[in-house]
Amino acid sequence: MKKTLIAVVLGCAAILAARDIKDNLERAVIGADMIPGWQINKSGKAADYGKGKIIVGHEADEKALQLNAPADRTLSIYMQSSTPVTVGEYMEFSADVKGKGMVTISYYTYNAKDQYIGDVKTQSQSFTLTENLKEIKCKLKIMPSKSNSLGRIRPCIVVSKGGELVIEDIDIEIDND
């Protein structure tokens, strides 16, 4: 009994160590352009940034986000709210995806005052999309800044030029191992 209790306590401590980032897909409205709390990155001038649309997911009671990138540029979306992090922690990302082209998962970096830091060599992971729904998973280390104290991130999703992504069942966590 004592060993079981210790195992349960350690398991709970591990769960508490990971911090969930709410993706808000379940709050999205079918037909809307974007998941609440996410936006298309429009930091550079362009005639077309791409399009997003909330659609019915693989299961009738689920929702998915469909993203279509223009032929001449990638489409990036990111969370509007930043999440506190410590250098050396990990952003763990998983989702079910399908489409054409590639999808890249990464994060944008900020200091504790939520000011963008551009000199961080962020980690990312790319996946080739297919017409069949498949689960993707990645674990990206939070890297240090050369000139500033990194303190926050915003998860981002990038669709390759001319690509199409359907993404659902998104799960994002910050973990220390």
Side-chain angles (χ1 to χ4, degrees):
M1 179 71 177
K2 192 174 186 178
K3 288 181 182 180
T4 303
L5 183 59
I6 290 172
V8 168
V9 169
L10 290 175
C12 289
I15 290 170
L16 292 174
R19 301 182 316 276
D20 189 42
I21 299 175
K22 297 288 182 198
D23 63 86
N24 296 323
L25 184 55
E26 73 282 352
R27 292 183 37 229
V29 176
I30 301 291
D33 293 340
M34 190 56 58
I35 300 170
W38 290 76
Q39 69 182 42
I40 293 176
N41 185 341
K42 296 181 179 179
S43 61
K45 290 189 177 192
D48 183 7
Y49 293 101
K51 298 189 182 335
K53 184 176 183 181
I54 304 299
I55 61 174
V56 175
H58 182 68
E59 308 259 336
D61 62 341
E62 291 184 5
K63 297 172 188 166
L65 173 63
Q66 179 178 356
L67 295 171
N68 295 90
D72 63 341
R73 68 181 292 134
T74 60
L75 166 63
S76 301
I77 67 168
Y78 65 94
M79 294 190 88
Q80 294 170 324
S81 296
S82 62
T83 298
V85 294
T86 302
V87 170
E89 288 184 313
Y90 293 86
M91 181 183 86
E92 296 181 12
F93 185 99
S94 68
D96 293 334
V97 299
K98 68 179 182 176
K100 67 177 184 178
M102 303 276 294
V103 61
T104 301
I105 308 302
S106 190
Y107 55 88
Y108 296 148
T109 53
Y110 301 84
N111 65 20
K113 294 180 182 179
D114 221 9
Q115 298 164 324
Y116 179 70
I117 301 173
D119 70 351
V120 177
K121 187 172 181 172
T122 59
Q123 292 198 335
S124 64
Q125 189 163 348
S126 297
F127 303 89
T128 300
L129 298 167
T130 65
E131 63 185 40
N132 298 318
L133 197 66
K134 67 178 179 180
E135 183 179 29
I136 61 169
K137 290 183 178 186
C138 60
K139 186 173 181 175
L140 307 174
K141 190 172 186 174
I142 307 300
M143 303 303 287
S145 167
K146 296 174 186 159
S147 65
N148 208 318
S149 179
L150 188 137
R152 304 181 77 79
I153 65 164
R154 289 185 174 131
C156 66
I157 300 169
V158 182
V159 181
S160 61
K161 293 178 182 179
E164 179 182 301
L165 168 69
V166 174
I167 186 167
E168 59 186 72
D169 199 21
I170 301 168
D171 185 39
I172 311 169
E173 292 182 349
I174 303 297
D175 203 350
N176 56 10
D177 63 9

